[in-house]
Amino acid sequence: MFADPSAARLTPRYSRRVVEERDAHAELLADFRAGMLESPRSLPPKYFYDARGSQLFDAICDTPEYYPTRLEAELLERHAGAIMEASGARTLFELGSGTSRKTEYLLEALAGRVAQPHYVANDVCGEILDEAGGRLLQRFEQLQVDSLCGDYAAALTHLADVSGAQADGPRLFAFLGSSLGNFEDAEAGDLLRRIRETMNPEDRLLLGLDRIKPRPVLESAYNDEAGVTAAFNLNLLAVLNTELGADFDLEGFEHRAPFVEAQSRIEMHLVSRRDQVVHVSEPEARLQIAEGEVIRTEISRKFSRDAVDRLLAVAGLEHEAEWSAPEDWYSLFLLRPGVA
Ligand code: SAH
Ligand code: AVI
């Protein structure tokens, strides 16, 4: 997760640079203090994604129960041409790009439109960025890939380092997978506003959001039979063991992911199976965790149309076009920056 802090042009068509607004390790320490030494305990979900966490997320996408990836991939496969056409983009910039597998539909459409397509990928996980970059360079012969390894906010700050030149033309920003749903309203609004402030008037944002649907479908997606989501959730404790010198016993916690209807969101929980004490070296701490106590590791919001419209209004983004799966189970929104 905390890759070599250097900018590197690794091949003529691929660069990776680490971007951070605060030292990533110091930020984990601060987030741990704020979330894990308080009750109820919680942590931001970005810490799931070390190399193993990224692999586990990829495996979640292949489970029969996790519908968001499939629905979004189907929408992108069908509409990538129209999306690229409507955006007029010459560059694609993606936040939280992961494996960039679904992105290939957009890149294919981009490569069909411009001679020298440019893809700027951002993720907190350096390993996944390099892996995806290598694959994309093989598939798209003219593609230039620049990876920004770090938080969304840092990537937005540093986007100008690798794009923004006149030759890059209009850019399509992409924020897919319903990753915005991992943020509460205030943070989601701040992030969207930050995106809007980074956009030029001719840039567009493609936002993929998961929508409300029957509880059994939602809960199965986050409680898959094979236990991949459980392993993903528990891996967060392994990350803390490595990064903070903690001694969490992964067997001592159980995965749960209920749909909390009042807030229209799945909550991922790790529930302590017994009274236990966990030691942490940095920050030096002794956590007394009671049987049944919950660590909330993620929220995953399921958006009503009203909730989407409210967020976009707060952030100053305007609808340009949208594409939805049957019964509005998943939507892609093409947005333009409003007049500030
Ligand atoms: N967009 C992909 C991946 C979604 S998983 C898809 O739709 O399938 C979420 C991705 O965002 C992971 O690859 C994770 O490493 C990355 N991520 C999570 N929090 C992040 C943050 N705060 N800043 C940047 N990337 C983040
Ligand atoms: C990345 N994020 C949008 C996923 C989600 O659905 O909230 C992460 C995930 N957590 C459990 N399964 C998938």
Side-chain angles (χ1 to χ4, degrees):
M1 191 180 331
F2 306 123
D4 174 19
S6 54
R9 175 150 302 280
L10 301 169
T11 76
R13 291 193 291 130
Y14 182 67
S15 80
R16 177 188 7 93
R17 63 194 71 202
V18 174
V19 290
E20 42 191 37
E21 295 197 315
R22 291 172 61 192
D23 169 69
H25 189 69
E27 193 162 332
L28 170 58
L29 287 181
D31 286 337
F32 182 88
R33 278 201 190 92
M36 290 294 286
L37 305 182
E38 301 288 330
S39 176
R41 300 184 206 267
S42 68
L43 273 175
K46 71 175 173 182
Y47 299 114
F48 281 130
Y49 301 95
D50 65 348
R52 178 168 154 74
S54 289
Q55 278 169 3
L56 284 167
F57 177 75
D58 197 27
I60 288 174
C61 296
D62 289 335
T63 62
E65 295 94 339
Y66 194 71
Y67 63 84
T69 301
R70 262 186 307 283
L71 293 183
E72 189 173 58
E74 282 167 20
L75 287 171
L76 289 168
E77 181 174 18
R78 192 166 313 157
H79 303 295
I83 292 168
M84 275 301 165
E85 182 78 38
S87 74
R90 303 174 64 84
T91 298
L92 178 62
F93 166 54
E94 184 173 10
L95 291 155
S97 50
T99 61
S100 304
R101 278 203 285 178
K102 284 173 289 179
T103 317
E104 292 196 29
Y105 295 116
L106 293 171
L107 290 171
E108 200 179 341
L110 180 63
R113 284 170 46 81
V114 300
Q116 290 183 312
H118 184 194
Y119 176 49
V120 182
N122 152 249
D123 207 282
V124 280
C125 180
E127 291 88 345
I128 203 97
L129 283 169
D130 288 351
E131 213 176 286
R135 195 187 74 246
L136 294 175
L137 291 182
Q138 287 209 334
R139 170 152 182 211
F140 300 100
E141 281 179 4
Q142 300 305 321
L143 187 67
Q144 167 74 42
V145 180
D146 292 306
S147 290
L148 301 176
C149 181
D151 201 72
Y152 303 130
L156 287 163
T157 302
H158 288 274
L159 176 59
D161 301 352
V162 289
S163 124
Q166 208 58 29
D168 257 2
R171 301 169 297 187
L172 178 64
F173 288 47
F175 195 22
L176 301 176
S178 203
S179 289
L180 186 73
N182 297 141
F183 293 100
E184 307 264 3
D185 245 354
E187 284 174 316
D190 284 349
L191 180 54
L192 285 180
R193 202 173 308 114
R194 192 80 196 256
I195 293 174
R196 199 253 294 146
E197 286 164 2
T198 311
M199 292 166 80
N200 294 322
E202 67 276 19
D203 294 338
R204 297 290 176 265
L205 167 65
L206 184 69
L207 182 63
L209 294 180
D210 198 12
R211 309 289 301 276
I212 298 173
K213 55 188 62 61
R215 175 188 292 271
V217 181
L218 290 169
E219 291 193 333
S220 306
Y222 291 81
N223 295 278
D224 63 281
E225 286 268 332
V228 185
T229 310
F232 172 75
N233 198 4
L234 286 159
N235 182 59
L236 183 63
L237 301 180
V239 170
L240 297 180
N241 285 348
T242 307
E243 299 293 335
L244 302 180
D247 64 358
F248 283 98
D249 171 13
L250 274 59
E251 305 278 306
F253 292 84
E254 186 182 284
H255 162 78
R256 256 185 235 160
F259 179 57
V260 181
E261 197 161 358
Q263 283 152 304
S264 195
R265 67 195 198 188
I266 289 280
E267 289 194 359
M268 292 246 291
H269 295 166
L270 289 170
V271 187
S272 180
R273 292 182 194 272
R274 49 182 157 78
D275 290 341
Q276 51 185 314
V277 175
V278 177
H279 303 93
V280 185
S281 320
E282 196 205 358
E284 200 175 325
R286 187 175 171 277
L287 276 59
Q288 269 188 297
I289 305 182
E291 182 179 348
E293 201 178 325
V294 167
I295 303 173
R296 199 188 70 204
T297 54
E298 186 180 61
I299 61 165
S300 191
R301 298 169 62 188
K302 308 301 159 190
F303 292 91
S304 67
R305 182 62 203 224
D306 280 356
V308 175
D309 288 344
R310 270 197 308 273
L311 261 178
L312 298 182
V314 163
L317 288 160
E318 295 174 355
H319 284 281
E320 185 140 314
E322 66 185 80
W323 298 268
S324 287
E327 297 179 77
D328 285 345
W329 272 20
Y330 197 94
S331 298
L332 286 173
F333 297 96
L334 187 67
L335 308 164
R336 61 174 172 262
V339 188

